[in-house]
Amino acid sequence: MITRLRRSFANLASEQRRVGLAALLVLASMLLPWYSKTTNAITKNGLANVHESKLAILVPSFVEASIFLVAVAVLVLMFFRGEGRAFHLPFGDGIVCTAAGAWVAFLVFYRFIDQPSGGTSKNLAYSYDLSWGIFFGLLAAAFLIYSGTRLRLANVAEPPLPGEGPTAVAPRPAPAPTVVAPTAPDSAADRERRRREREARRRGEDETVTAPAAPPTTRQPARPDIDGGTQLSFDEQE
């Protein structure tokens, strides 16, 4: 198991290692005195007050159990990522770890407002107050939020699921050479059809030939009319 842990830690990215360290700090903070228990007991000599420090992990409640489970879940997630386990979480590992740190911070802050409830019996009464160790728990939760944010911004690739590996781009196939099919010899029907088409085009060209323009006409000056019936003889002129 130790070998697996070392191998998994070596395979993690620096951002993932930081997340694992933050989760360990959250667990370590629970081994510190978060609460101070005061017990008032009635004895034969009178009222006796007893003060003792209580570790967070030794005060069973919903808050402490939730913090413990969240920190262990983050550690297990990083361990599986180091081993290359292929699975996807909603929104990615970075957002999940950030949300885990925010949940731990909320629970620790809740303990600042509402301490564990005390109790009474026939001869004694006890109550809880906050101790110095709970501040380390709040700092560890803030560090887990920071580590999860850094992991989200780093975009560390997750192990691909089966069938989701990087797909290689297939090379584009070369264009196939164009093969010119040999032309079949003309048949007698084709030759006859082309001849008729040429004759039809020739007749159309002959019909569309425009007529030559008429030559220009020139006007000649009018000559004076000579009346031959009124010509005089030389005797009559004299």
Side-chain angles (χ1 to χ4, degrees):
M1 187 62 185
I2 301 299
T3 304
R4 290 181 61 187
L5 288 174
R6 291 178 179 177
R7 187 184 303 112
S8 177
F9 183 79
N11 294 333
L12 291 176
S14 58
E15 292 81 8
Q16 294 173 325
R17 295 177 182 176
R18 188 184 296 115
V19 169
L21 176 60
L24 280 176
L25 290 178
V26 171
L27 289 179
S29 68
M30 299 189 71
L31 300 177
L32 299 177
W34 281 23
Y35 311 108
S36 175
K37 183 179 179 181
T38 302
T39 304
N40 298 319
I42 300 176
T43 62
K44 295 179 180 180
N45 298 327
L47 183 64
N49 294 329
V50 178
H51 298 276
E52 58 179 336
S53 298
K54 299 295 289 185
L55 306 182
I57 201 171
L58 298 180
V59 181
S61 69
F62 171 76
V63 174
E64 288 75 21
S66 298
I67 295 174
F68 179 81
L69 291 178
V70 168
V72 171
V74 173
L75 287 175
V76 172
L77 172 62
M78 293 298 105
F79 173 73
F80 285 161
R81 290 308 186 196
E83 287 195 334
R85 301 288 184 90
F87 58 91
H88 295 322
L89 296 179
F91 309 108
D93 294 351
I95 294 181
V96 169
C97 294
T98 303
W103 177 244
V104 171
F106 171 77
L107 293 177
V108 175
F109 179 76
Y110 175 77
R111 275 302 180 221
F112 278 90
I113 302 173
D114 185 13
Q115 291 81 27
S117 58
T120 59
S121 63
K122 183 177 180 180
N123 295 324
L124 59 86
Y126 61 92
S127 61
Y128 289 94
D129 294 322
L130 296 181
S131 185
W132 58 271
I134 194 171
F135 295 97
F136 286 91
L138 187 61
L139 292 177
F143 184 55
L144 182 57
I145 295 175
Y146 168 77
S147 302
T149 304
R150 295 293 300 175
L151 178 60
R152 180 179 60 85
L153 296 177
N155 292 326
V156 179
E158 300 177 358
L161 293 173
E164 288 186 354
T167 57
V169 179
R172 181 178 299 178
T178 56
V179 179
V180 179
T183 57
D186 295 340
S187 60
D190 294 338
R191 290 193 297 271
E192 181 64 20
R193 179 175 53 80
R194 286 196 294 270
R195 184 184 65 79
R196 291 179 181 179
E197 291 177 355
R198 287 195 299 270
E199 291 179 357
R201 286 196 298 269
R202 189 180 301 111
R203 285 196 299 269
E205 292 175 357
D206 294 342
E207 292 176 358
T208 56
V209 173
T210 58
T217 58
T218 56
R219 295 183 62 185
Q220 297 181 358
R223 296 181 180 180
D225 296 337
I226 300 176
D227 189 4
T230 58
Q231 186 176 5
L232 298 179
S233 60
F234 290 101
D235 295 335
E236 293 176 350
Q237 292 178 356
E238 291 177 359

